Amino acid sequence: MQVNALDHVNIITDRLAETCAFYVALLGLEQRDAPPPLTPQNAQWLYDKQGRAVLHINSTDCPRTYDRAVEPGRVTGAIHHVALNCSGHDTVQARIAAMGLEAKTNFVAAIGLRQIFVADPNNVLLELNFFGD
């Protein structure tokens, strides 16, 4: 198993359009609708020049596989999770079981993505993403 790269940062907001416009203007990112089952009204993804969705901007009412309270408007309170692009899905699953950790899984069929959500000892939520693995 290896971490290939930081995948994205997820920001929860009650000002979806304003937040997207800020990052597009500041960082020159390209705004696109998130894949289904998310909708344009509850999730927008912002892509870098290499076509990677580096920021996921979600409304406060956007459905989440791993739901937890966040506080939009507080410094770093709106960060929901840190996502890592990984390989070695089965190895990670075995390690999670061996460590006795609680985890949630998800599959996003529209983009062929398997996900594992697990919290670190400081309760930082990690989203481990496996594309085609």
Side-chain angles (χ1 to χ4, degrees), residues 27-89:
L27 302 177
L29 299 172
E30 178 189 350
Q31 181 177 340
R32 300 184 207 165
D33 295 343
L38 303 175
T39 69
Q41 295 74 35
N42 66 26
Q44 292 289 302
W45 287 8
L46 304 179
Y47 289 77
D48 66 11
K49 297 294 183 202
Q50 287 74 39
R52 296 178 295 233
V54 296
L55 290 178
H56 294 184
I57 313 298
N58 296 154
S59 65
T60 53
D61 62 346
C62 182
R64 286 176 274 287
T65 300
Y66 193 110
D67 201 16
R68 67 177 184 83
V70 295
E71 297 182 48
R74 295 191 48 144
V75 175
T76 69
I79 301 295
H80 181 266
H81 62 263
V82 174
L84 301 171
N85 179 306
C86 299
S87 58
H89 178 271

Side-chain angles (χ1 to χ4, degrees), residues 7-8 10 56 80-86 113 115-118 125-130:
D7 194 74
H8 69 269
N10 180 267
H56 294 184
H80 181 266
H81 62 263
V82 174
L84 301 171
N85 179 306
C86 299
L113 168 64
Q115 301 175 299
I116 301 172
F117 294 87
V118 63
L125 181 60
L126 301 176
E127 176 186 309
L128 307 177
N129 287 327
F130 301 85

